[in-house]
Amino acid sequence: VANSGHFNVEIDINALDDKGWSLLQRAAANGQMHIVKTLIRAGAKNVITRGCRKKPSTLALENDHEEISEHLLRVEKLDRKP
């Protein structure tokens, strides 16, 4: 470990918790826009998981986080472009 205080740690950004939710789904449902943006930049997949069965954008909207839902829908639209 360097003296700078930074660590090199590899994690699976798309790992699921014990309920089958991804980090992105949790952040979207909890209204944590800064976390949502960080996870997307880090490569988190904006998808339905087997445990939750809802897209992060849907979870955000259901929990009154409209801005996050709209952001995720824009990201999703960009991801579909060839």
Side-chain angles (χ1 to χ4, degrees):
V1 177
N3 288 334
S4 66
H6 297 277
F7 298 90
N8 287 330
V9 178
E10 288 188 34
I11 62 166
D12 179 0
I13 201 78
N14 294 301
L16 305 180
D17 65 16
D18 61 334
K19 304 273 191 231
W21 286 49
S22 69
L23 291 170
L24 185 57
Q25 286 169 315
R26 291 282 179 203
N30 290 318
Q32 299 169 309
M33 177 66 96
H34 62 288
I35 302 292
V36 166
K37 288 181 176 181
T38 299
L39 290 168
I40 292 290
R41 280 194 304 271
K45 294 180 182 173
N46 187 16
V47 296
I48 299 171
T49 62
R50 68 179 179 276
C52 178
R53 299 197 172 145
K54 293 184 181 180
K55 286 186 175 185
S57 57
T58 302
L59 292 166
L61 196 57
E62 288 178 350
N63 289 284
D64 298 320
H65 306 299
E66 195 171 312
E67 185 180 350
I68 291 174
S69 181
E70 290 172 0
H71 175 74
L72 289 167
L73 289 171
R74 282 191 301 273
V75 168
E76 193 175 307
K77 190 174 181 180
L78 290 172
D79 287 346
R80 282 186 287 200
K81 287 188 177 180

